[in-house]
Amino acid sequence: MTATTSVKPTGSGTAPGPAGPVLRKRRPYGTALGLGTAVLYLSLIVLIPLAAVVWRSTDGGWDRFWAAVRTPDAWAALELTVGASLIVALINVVMGTVIAWVLVRDKFPGKGLVDTLIDLPFALPTIVAGLVLLALYGTSSPLHIDLAYTRLSVGVALLFVTLPFVVRTVQPVLKELDRDMEQAAYSLGASPFTTFRRIILPNLAPAMISGAGLAFTRAIAEYGSTNLLTGSIPFQTQVSAVNIFGRIESDDTTSAAAISTVLLVVAFVVLVLLDLFQRWSARRG
């Protein structure tokens, strides 16, 4: 008998060894180039400007930083801004979910137009939004509802500019929700309220919380609509963004940067918490 042996060809990129050939993986040049471009662009547009604001806020040391933040007008504006933004975020959770439900589950004439109008606050300049709200809820209101220059007008302005966030976050989740689970619950005798509380709400909760967080971070930065409708009265209706602009006009950029840094930290903490919550929700499936 004649024994035959087979020879395994070796080529470039393989290294023969006791366990057989090992393939050498090369990192694609396109991935490295794309990552570098993204990091460079993000640094130029976001990271470096934000770092410059934080650095400028500490020009006079931390004592001056806290002194600027704790001045009566700045602190009052911060309290009003954060408090109103929290209330607006809570209202958005409820009303934004209701609007998303109507747009997904109900059929009515003009549904497409309503769905388009939801995005109007995204496209409309905020100063124009303030003018619209002032015409509708000002001293010459055709509805005879005068909210101008009151604390309630702050909430109305923030509700207008943050309306789409919860709606557009909840809407796609609601569209992809498995209707068979609801039908199964109904067939087992569950009431509509029980079905919503035990099946629908747990699936919508992550999107609702994410939308509320985005609405909150957007609200604390609002300037245009609040400046017109509220009148920006110090200690009454002035929000932080307007207070910052006033300090810049007075050539007090260090104090303006200090207040801006506080808002930046608040927004960053909220976004980090949202990211951690989304990761936790993804792990739980």
Side-chain angles (χ1 to χ4, degrees):
M1 298 180 63
T2 303
T4 60
T5 58
S6 59
V7 179
K8 295 182 180 180
T10 58
S12 61
T14 62
V22 178
L23 296 178
R24 296 175 182 173
K25 296 182 179 180
R26 294 183 178 179
R27 187 180 184 87
Y29 290 107
T31 301
L33 180 61
L35 179 61
T37 303
V39 171
L40 177 62
Y41 184 80
L42 184 64
S43 299
L44 293 174
I45 301 299
V46 179
L47 299 180
I48 295 177
L50 292 181
V53 170
V54 175
W55 176 79
R56 184 61 183 271
S57 68
T58 59
D59 270 357
W62 289 108
D63 290 339
R64 184 178 177 184
F65 176 93
W66 291 115
V69 173
R70 292 305 301 268
T71 53
D73 61 328
W75 192 253
L78 282 170
E79 287 183 334
L80 176 61
T81 301
V82 175
S85 298
L86 282 173
I87 295 173
V88 165
L90 292 175
I91 295 175
N92 274 323
V93 167
V94 178
M95 298 309 302
T97 303
V98 171
I99 294 173
W101 181 279
V102 170
L103 291 175
V104 173
R105 295 295 179 92
D106 296 339
K107 295 181 179 180
F108 54 89
K111 178 179 176 179
L113 177 61
V114 173
D115 191 42
T116 302
L117 289 176
I118 296 298
D119 292 327
L120 188 60
F122 281 148
L124 198 65
T126 56
I127 195 69
V128 177
L131 181 61
V132 171
L133 293 173
L134 185 62
L136 190 60
Y137 299 115
T139 54
S140 303
S141 168
L143 304 177
H144 303 288
I145 302 176
D146 185 7
L147 301 178
Y149 318 129
T150 65
R151 289 207 166 194
L152 188 58
S153 65
V154 177
V156 172
L158 297 182
L159 282 172
F160 180 86
V161 298
T162 60
L163 171 66
F165 287 94
V166 175
V167 177
R168 292 311 187 206
T169 308
V170 172
Q171 197 172 3
V173 178
L174 195 56
K175 286 181 179 179
E176 297 176 2
L177 193 62
D178 188 3
R179 301 290 292 272
D180 292 339
M181 294 188 298
E182 299 175 47
Q183 298 299 328
Y186 292 141
S187 65
L188 294 173
S191 65
F193 177 75
T194 301
T195 302
F196 178 81
R197 181 173 60 89
R198 299 292 298 273
I199 295 177
I200 300 176
L201 186 58
N203 288 280
L204 295 183
M208 293 166 62
I209 294 174
S210 297
L214 294 174
F216 172 81
T217 55
R218 175 65 182 84
I220 64 175
E222 177 56 22
Y223 172 81
S225 61
T226 56
N227 193 25
L228 282 181
L229 184 62
T230 67
S232 300
I233 305 172
F235 302 102
Q236 295 184 32
T237 63
Q238 187 182 73
V239 296
S240 292
V242 179
N243 185 269
I244 291 169
F245 182 73
R247 290 172 181 269
I248 293 175
E249 284 189 321
S250 302
D251 200 25
D252 190 5
T253 54
T254 301
S255 296
I259 302 170
S260 301
T261 300
V262 173
L263 293 179
L264 174 63
V265 170
V266 172
F268 181 74
V269 169
V270 171
L271 293 177
V272 169
L273 291 176
L274 284 178
D275 182 69
L276 293 175
F277 176 76
Q278 290 173 350
R279 292 173 185 270
W280 176 78
S281 300
R283 285 196 299 268
R284 295 194 61 184

